[in-house]
Amino acid sequence: MKIAILYITLGRYDVFFKGFYESAHKKLFLGHEKHFFIFTDSLKINSMKNSDITVIKQEKMGWPFDTLMRFKMFESIEDKLKNFDYIFFFNSNIVFIRPVKEEIFPGTENGGIAASIFYMKNQDEYTYDRNPESNAYIPYGKGKAYYQGGLNGGTAADYLQMIKTVRKWVDEDVEKKIFAKWNDESYINKYLLDKNPLIINRNYMFPQEWRMKDCPGKLIAMLRDKSNPFYGGTKWLRGDTNVKDSLFKALLKKPFWFLKILIKYFM
């Protein structure tokens, strides 16, 4: 199979790229042909000459547009994506711990779409967009699950249809100055509302800061903690120049912190 991997890293988020790319080579879809489409403004990544990487130069638009407009970015390379069997998007801070195989390839019974689940509970507790003026609107009493935006994919034809639909919804709302509660994630939940996607369980998108005993099965892929000083912290990642936290300062305050992280997740 030929698989297109979509990945966005803008501004300081390129701190996550090396871990993602190296772990993907070792753990992701082994035995299949992978090609990485990287949307970035990073000079370091732009200078890479790897044959399995296509860099799409993308200017940083600021929050929330860097995430809200991701489907518009994807649609801009539709001509390239048509040539693949599957297309998958992975969040910038994901790192693969164990092999990810064909088990996340959706079938026709799933409408050719796979999506990572955040949680399943009482539907009225889901943080869907409840604004009836928004294209992402989901009324109370509707919905079977809450899907997070950091991992989704599918067959090329079905995923491209999702890209086109969500991009159209976002453009229409932005034109009216309507912003969905959780940006692109809210539109994904609306798109999947009446569908039956293949559910990718939480152990494929397990937050680094959560307790391992809460992981539903073996840890497959981890979401590195954006608020962690090791990566600069959320405000720093989003471009706040007043944030002074650094790995060096964090290690001075907690000298055994980094060792603890290594033991907890990689030993």
Side-chain angles (χ1 to χ4, degrees):
M1 294 288 185
K2 291 178 61 179
I3 305 169
I5 308 297
L6 304 177
Y7 184 87
I8 301 171
T9 174
L10 298 172
R12 295 167 175 170
Y13 276 81
D14 64 356
V15 69
F16 294 116
F17 178 69
K18 186 172 185 286
F20 165 79
Y21 182 64
E22 291 182 352
S23 66
H25 265 280
K26 296 175 183 177
K27 309 286 185 181
L28 181 63
F29 302 142
L30 297 181
H32 297 283
E33 181 182 340
K34 301 186 293 283
H35 194 86
F36 298 82
F37 293 92
I38 314 298
F39 297 82
T40 187
D41 59 352
S42 170
L43 295 177
K44 182 189 299 184
I45 298 175
N46 266 290
S47 66
M48 296 178 68
K49 303 301 182 184
N50 303 46
S51 61
D52 63 347
I53 291 179
T54 295
V55 173
I56 299 94
K57 292 183 180 180
Q58 174 64 51
E59 291 185 7
K60 185 170 175 59
M61 295 175 282
W63 187 261
F65 297 100
D66 289 340
T67 184
L68 182 61
M69 295 297 177
R70 67 178 51 174
F71 286 94
K72 194 165 191 171
M73 298 180 203
F74 300 160
E75 192 177 28
S76 72
I77 60 167
E78 179 184 1
D79 60 327
K80 295 181 175 64
L81 297 178
K82 286 179 177 178
N83 299 319
F84 289 83
D85 297 302
Y86 287 95
I87 304 167
F88 278 89
F89 166 74
F90 292 95
N91 218 47
S92 62
N93 60 328
I94 197 168
V95 64
F96 302 101
I97 308 300
R98 289 186 172 87
V100 177
K101 302 177 182 178
E102 295 85 353
E103 73 273 8
I104 69 168
F105 288 177
T108 54
E109 69 277 14
N110 310 115
I113 296 291
S116 56
I117 197 168
F118 190 71
Y119 47 70
M120 298 182 77
K121 55 181 181 181
N122 186 302
Q123 59 193 185
D124 286 347
E125 295 180 63
Y126 296 153
T127 56
Y128 295 143
D129 191 293
R130 304 298 186 181
N131 176 9
E133 300 299 315
S134 171
N135 281 325
Y137 170 63
I138 297 177
Y140 286 102
K142 299 291 185 180
K144 296 177 289 186
Y146 188 90
Y147 302 98
Q148 58 179 351
L151 168 52
N152 46 71
T155 64
D158 292 306
Y159 194 70
L160 282 168
Q161 182 59 53
M162 177 173 159
I163 287 172
K164 288 174 175 292
T165 303
V166 172
R167 190 276 306 159
K168 179 177 179 291
W169 287 347
V170 171
D171 282 355
E172 289 175 352
D173 279 357
V174 170
E175 179 69 23
K176 294 183 289 186
K177 294 182 169 51
I178 294 173
F179 295 89
K181 183 177 180 65
W182 297 117
N183 307 308
D184 53 289
E185 187 171 271
S186 295
Y187 293 97
I188 291 169
N189 275 277
K190 177 59 177 288
Y191 185 81
L192 297 176
L193 182 63
D194 59 353
K195 295 176 175 57
N196 183 43
L198 174 67
I199 289 177
I200 301 175
N201 288 320
R202 203 69 180 98
N203 54 327
Y204 286 79
M205 289 282 284
F206 195 75
Q208 181 180 14
E209 63 272 26
W210 286 15
R211 299 174 303 176
M212 284 302 300
K213 69 177 185 178
D214 294 329
C215 186
K218 290 184 177 180
L219 177 63
I220 305 296
M222 182 176 70
L223 286 174
R224 288 165 287 178
D225 183 6
K226 295 177 183 178
S227 66
N228 199 313
F230 181 65
Y231 306 113
T234 305
K235 290 183 178 180
W236 182 84
L237 288 168
R238 291 185 181 175
D240 190 337
T241 56
N242 295 316
V243 177
K244 303 297 184 183
D245 285 339
S246 66
L247 173 60
F248 178 70
K249 290 177 69 175
L251 289 177
L252 284 179
K253 294 176 184 177
K254 299 180 180 180
F256 297 107
W257 171 80
F258 186 55
L259 179 60
K260 182 179 178 182
I261 292 292
L262 285 175
I263 292 173
K264 183 175 182 180
Y265 291 104
F266 297 105
M267 297 300 191

